[in-house]
Amino acid sequence: MSVALIILAAGKGTRMNSDLPKVLHPIAGAPLLHHAMQTGAALDPARTIVVAGHGADQVTAAAHDYDDAAEVVLQSEQLGTGHAVDQARAALAGFEGDVVVLFGDTPFLQPDTLKRMITARQSHDVVVLGFDVAELQPRYGRLIMDGERLLRIVEYKDASEDQRQIRFTNSGLLACKADTLFDLIAGLSNDNASGEYYLTEVAQLANDKGLSVTAIKCDEAETLGVDSRTDLAAADAIFQSRARTELLNDGVTLAAPDTVYLSFDTIVGRDALIEPNVVFGPGVTVESGATIRAFSHLEGCHVSRGAIVGPYARLRPGAELDEDVRVGNFVEVKNATLAPGAKVNHLSYIGDASVGEASNIGAGTITCNYDGVMKHRTEIGARAFIGSNTMLVAPVSVGDEAMTGSGSVITSDVEDGALAIARAPQVEKPGMARKLFEMLKAKKARQSRGS
Ligand code: UD1
Ligand code: MG
């Protein structure tokens, strides 16, 4: 049976104390919403409906950024989780499959858990996902069970003292056939402590109609919701710790795992070595056997086998390092390809450029790619030698086996095998330095006598 996801993401997230809608706050470089959508993707949903409210434009853009086909419906007033789901009614009119309701602020749900919900849905009309709390908390709805049957869900605010002692709590996730769910939601009231239309009331309404209602369990860690910056930081820390462990298990050496920051999509090959204090932004692939030395910052780039990057290197989007490339300290590479064995070892900026095989870029070299309005490319051939402190004023090319003299400002193309020198010729004045020193010292002496 096909599945539609309804992802609730309309809340303001007041406790985040932020202009950014809560579900757009990132964990490991991706908004909470993307984490939720990624989990949901495990069900191969036929439809994905995101319920947006606060910051709806931004939330819509983020939803489409993850999945062009995601549909966004608006909940202009946040009247509760049940009311939020109701906003998807028109979009899902005539949809025959199951609906799974997810929260946009719950990033750690495991794909298997969603699959178990769908399996349970085959034998029950309504399936709620619950978890046992290690410590009782003054939040979360309590699940009132009778054997396998879920009788109802009581929100903390509405619960009696006895009910508050129940450890089996509501994660917020629910699976139900679409038409059944919308029938039940039509019967919700807001007669409760919060004056909201609670999605959780569906459990009792379903029982009243003689439907079969159950709750299955997942690990408490999966249901961690983000409500504050503290929660966000804690969630990120959990993500980082899991991702590092995964890399270690995959055969990557992390010299000081706790100091390496990973993104949701970081890929590192076996036997790669990552030194301390390396930051991976989104979109990085590091192949087997590459080394990323300490204090480097990488995003949107690809590092091939045998390459060595850093210490203190910055690889920005579009940096493509082929095998055995060297990028050393205080070098920035952006939108540039470095062919096998190319070296840029010290203090350089290589942007909008290509560097051919085994070429050496001397210290302090800069591709001057920006004229204040437009960006231009620099093409450097194979086995070229770029002298230290060369300014390559793009658009410009330097041929195979060509050289530039250090300190050159290269403004026109250099052909294969040529040496280009573009700097003022050296002038030498014998004895002039000593003379100058004497003049200056005499001047200083006069000044200190006079004062
Ligand atoms: C909800 C559940 C509670 C459960 C807890 C788990 C209800 C009534 N309560 O409470 O049983 O233990 O989650 O974390 O469902 N949202 C909207 N529109 C609204 C209200 C909420 O889109 O009008 C969205 C929020 O953006 C959020 C999600 O729904 O992503 C959950 O809302 P929240 O206010 O956090 O619910 P809880 O009080 O945590
Ligand atoms: Mg919540």
Side-chain angles (χ1 to χ4, degrees):
M1 190 178 289
S2 60
V3 172
L5 300 176
I6 300 180
I7 303 180
L8 304 192
K12 186 174 180 195
T14 312
R15 279 169 289 167
M16 295 300 286
N17 190 12
S18 172
D19 290 339
L20 193 67
K22 175 164 79 175
V23 293
L24 299 189
H25 281 267
I27 287 181
L32 288 169
L33 180 63
H34 287 190
H35 290 272
M37 290 176 85
Q38 188 169 24
T39 311
L43 293 177
D44 198 10
R47 308 275 298 275
T48 298
I49 318 280
V50 175
V51 182
H54 281 278
D57 289 349
Q58 286 166 282
V59 171
T60 304
H64 289 154
D65 190 27
Y66 185 86
D67 176 5
D68 285 342
E71 300 160 65
V72 179
V73 298
L74 201 64
Q75 185 195 26
S76 37
E77 253 187 307
Q78 282 69 59
L79 302 179
T81 48
H83 179 259
V85 172
D86 201 29
Q87 308 313 303
R89 179 187 293 274
L92 289 178
F95 180 76
E96 306 232 312
D98 281 331
V99 164
V100 174
V101 179
L102 293 176
F103 289 173
D105 64 353
T106 312
F108 290 124
L109 279 158
Q110 294 303 299
D112 264 3
T113 304
L114 294 192
K115 289 181 188 157
R116 283 196 294 121
M117 287 180 75
I118 291 294
T119 307
R121 229 299 291 145
Q122 252 96 85
S123 23
H124 299 275
D125 296 301
V126 180
V127 178
V128 166
L129 181 67
F131 58 102
D132 286 320
V133 282
E135 279 175 45
L136 292 171
Q137 301 207 32
R139 60 201 260 203
Y140 297 138
R142 296 334 199 219
L143 301 180
I144 316 283
M145 304 295 292
D146 176 15
E148 271 213 354
R149 175 176 285 270
L150 171 63
L151 298 177
R152 61 182 189 283
I153 306 174
V154 185
E155 287 306 300
Y156 182 82
K157 282 188 188 169
D158 303 290
S160 67
E161 255 332 295
D162 280 356
Q163 288 168 335
R164 288 179 177 180
Q165 304 310 309
I166 296 173
R167 288 183 183 275
F168 194 25
T169 46
N170 178 28
S171 72
L173 269 78
L174 177 147
C176 184
K177 225 168 142 281
D179 49 5
T180 313
L181 179 63
F182 289 111
D183 281 352
L184 292 168
I185 282 180
L188 296 182
S189 73
N190 63 351
D191 182 15
N192 52 53
S194 306
E196 288 183 1
Y197 295 93
Y198 291 159
L199 177 63
T200 46
E201 198 191 338
V202 156
Q204 178 160 10
L205 295 177
N207 274 297
D208 292 349
K209 291 198 169 173
L211 299 176
S212 146
V213 188
T214 196
I216 65 165
K217 260 181 211 183
C218 72
D219 213 35
E220 183 173 8
E222 284 186 47
T223 66
L224 185 108
V226 172
D227 286 322
S228 64
R229 304 268 184 172
T230 309
D231 290 346
L232 186 72
D236 206 323
I238 291 170
F239 185 98
Q240 294 300 327
S241 138
R242 284 186 192 167
R244 289 169 192 140
T245 304
E246 248 171 60
L247 286 188
L248 293 167
N249 290 339
D250 289 349
V252 175
T253 300
L254 302 178
D258 289 351
T259 68
V260 174
Y261 190 86
L262 300 164
S263 272
F264 66 102
D265 61 352
T266 304
I267 298 173
V268 184
R270 203 160 158 261
D271 288 324
L273 163 64
I274 313 296
E275 290 189 355
N277 296 297
V278 173
V279 175
F280 291 91
V284 177
T285 306
V286 174
E287 286 187 18
S288 291
T291 298
I292 310 298
R293 304 203 56 201
F295 295 98
S296 294
H297 190 287
L298 292 78
E299 60 187 315
C301 63
H302 173 217
V303 179
S304 302
R305 267 167 200 277
I308 303 178
V309 173
Y312 299 99
R314 179 168 184 210
L315 301 184
R316 290 174 51 203
E320 276 283 331
L321 277 51
D322 217 318
E323 296 190 7
D324 303 317
V325 158
R326 300 280 181 276
V327 169
N329 41 276
F330 306 107
V331 170
E332 173 179 344
V333 181
K334 182 216 77 170
N335 187 29
T337 57
L338 276 63
K343 291 183 184 159
V344 193
N345 272 330
H346 335 265
L347 303 162
S348 285
Y349 171 63
I350 304 295
D352 301 312
S354 65
V355 177
E357 197 166 329
S359 284
N360 187 88
I361 310 294
T365 294
I366 286 173
T367 55
C368 311
N369 60 330
Y370 186 46
D371 57 18
V373 179
M374 283 183 295
K375 301 274 172 72
H376 304 281
R377 289 192 62 81
T378 300
E379 315 280 352
I380 297 169
R383 296 168 302 283
F385 181 90
I386 305 299
S388 295
N389 207 32
T390 297
M391 300 294 115
L392 296 155
V393 182
V396 72
S397 69
V398 177
D400 293 344
E401 285 120 26
M403 277 189 181
T404 66
S406 39
S408 290
V409 179
I410 302 293
T411 52
S412 23
D413 294 352
V414 181
E415 69 181 37
D416 289 354
L419 166 64
I421 305 177
R423 62 184 187 214
Q426 185 166 324
V427 179
E428 186 155 327
K429 307 201 173 175
M432 188 53 129
R434 289 208 179 98
K435 226 168 160 179
L436 250 176
F437 274 133
E438 274 157 26
M439 268 168 55
L440 292 170
K441 282 178 190 157
K443 187 173 179 187
K444 190 175 179 191
R446 271 200 310 279
Q447 280 174 352
S448 49
R449 269 201 308 275
S451 62

